[in-house]
Amino acid sequence: MTDLLALTAELVDRVSVSFEEAGFVHWLQSELVALDHLEVTRVGDNLVARTNLGREHRLILAGHTDTVPVNHDPALPGGSNGFARIEGDTLWGVGSTDMKGGLAIFLDLARTVPEPSLDLTFVFYAREEVPQEHNGLAELARLRPDLLDGDCAILGEPTDGAIEAGCQGAMRFEITLAGARAHTARPWMGRNAVHRLASILTELASYEAREPSIDGCSYRESLQAVHVEGGIAGNVVPDRAVLRVHHRYAPDRSADQAEAWFRELLAPYMDKDDSIEVIDSSLACPPSLTHPVLQQLRDHNGLEVRAKLGWTDVARFAELGVPATNFGSGDPAIAHTRDEHVHRDSIERTAAALRSLVT
Amino acid sequence: MTDLLALTAELVDRVSVSFEEAGFVHWLQSELVALDHLEVTRVGDNLVARTNLGREHRLILAGHTDTVPVNHDPALPGGSNGFARIEGDTLWGVGSTDMKGGLAIFLDLARTVPEPSLDLTFVFYAREEVPQEHNGLAELARLRPDLLDGDCAILGEPTDGAIEAGCQGAMRFEITLAGARAHTARPWMGRNAVHRLASILTELASYEAREPSIDGCSYRESLQAVHVEGGIAGNVVPDRAVLRVHHRYAPDRSADQAEAWFRELLAPYMDKDDSIEVIDSSLACPPSLTHPVLQQLRDHNGLEVRAKLGWTDVARFAELGVPATNFGSGDPAIAHTRDEHVHRDSIERTAAALRSLVT
């Protein structure tokens, strides 16, 4: 049996910070093309490797190849987290959690299960840790959507061996409030746009999150001011204030519904010269746990099931009509931190559940 | 009798934008030293010209020599407001209101009243229209406070021939609110510092101005947010928000009292990691209209008397123990605008009142 902690360590040592994944992808490609049962296609820095066994179902196993930047810190052993370090059953290093553990599991399945019980599509895609316009999965969906055909998908993002079902949608609004400039000695000649933020911020501060339950998963929405700015000069009543609000909504709502809800919430405070603009929108993904393959993953392994409150690329699969869920090794809470690490147990539990699903 | 509109035009044509007053000051100096009854002292780009007649009272007539920058605009006759243009009894040009009309009146008094009934100190000072650390009157007070000795002072700022008595104090506060960062998918793990602005902005928006009456002048305080900022990234709960507030307070309060009042107002909303800092403070100046010379100015000319709501250099005289008031020609509402102009009548009324006071 493969030592998956050692294989993860090997992948961590093949550093692949966003936009610099090419070397790692090249190595991964050479590993995959050596396997006769896989049809390998490269699109840019994205790799797709598929079995073609005519099975009833096709399962997509997807993961991103990039990591956040290496952390250089004299306090770390060796001065950085840019290489693998194993202590007992713990592996330290950037990407150990997010998500080279998941990639190691996929690579091991590709190498060791030539005749899976479902057809498999392995998707290794680039540039997930950077703004969405660079995302390799989006690039694949645009250039070769046929390669993403499948009955359902599992995204190997760190969930510590639990199923984190679907994901919430995310929408960023920019609210611009108008006012009228005046000298601060005569503020009644103007209208203070910053003061006008008071009602909206009070509304946000007193917001009570909706917590719908879908397929037995409890979502929890959120509404947070993430940016505020306003002000002209030290003695001028500001005529403009800008507030950005991040709203995460559960997958029982569409983006249109979420937007309409927000506009209605703020309607009492908006005047004719004010505006609300959607500056960013990422769709939600339903938990999809009623799909037979994903149901089997859950039921045959006694896995914990949680709602995914953040946003992940499962939503891209949902947009393509492919039910998807998050399932991978490593604690998501320490992803992107200096002290990112993963335990052998987390990788082995995750790998065992996937292996039992595909064999 | 001097044509004061023409003299003001001559001064407007001697352009003297802040920091570039030297040429104008040099010319003014040569005009003043030619007058035998005046003792002229130059300190930097500031000029002081004094009579020494041993009169009972000494009156200071003070004005700044600089103007705001010239406005270049093809829509203006000649393409800029950087030169004098007379149409009928109206003079157009930068500084016509603020405050070359006042300087023309002072220069004419210096030239034509060799034996005034009070001793006179003419103060022409540099760099009033720029941040206070450059202020020429402050420079004089620091280097040669003896030159600013006097019983009372009249500052020739534009008041359109009314007395604008004293001035309100001004204080800028910076309020920093703390929070705790969290991912916007799990906002309950953090504390949103921008949301915390809600209570303070509500307090500011519902503020009711105190309007004390002093020496028959009605002041009106103000409290205005002039700057707000906060936000880390589009998906992070902000752990810090900064709000700047400008407070103008009437001269029946000291700076300490104004600060204490503000701190008490915000106390209910402040936590231990928050802070309120005074980043700027300019003292108030009482109206001083009970001083016999200023009382005479008011009573013998039937002048309108208003409280000065903004801040002017009269406060510097108050700090030196010299009662002071604002009295000059030109409409303050059009000072600093592209279309700055002054009417002959405004200059002549102001000049007549001052002439009757000193002869």
Side-chain angles (χ1 to χ4, degrees), chain B residues 33 51 80-81 111 113 126 148 166 178 207 209 215 234 252 291 326 331 335 343 353:
Chain B
V33 296
T51 63
S80 96
N81 65 0
R111 282 173 172 166
V113 187
L148 299 177
Y207 162 81
D215 289 5
D252 61 340
H291 185 279
N326 305 281
D331 177 359
H343 294 290

Side-chain angles (χ1 to χ4, degrees), chain A residues 172 184 192 222 224 230 234 248, chain B residues 172 184 192 222 224 228 234:
Chain A
R172 235 182 303 272
T184 51
N192 193 315
S222 71
Q224 292 286 313
R248 293 182 187 272
Chain B
R172 233 180 306 271
T184 50
N192 194 316
S222 70
Q224 291 287 313
V228 65

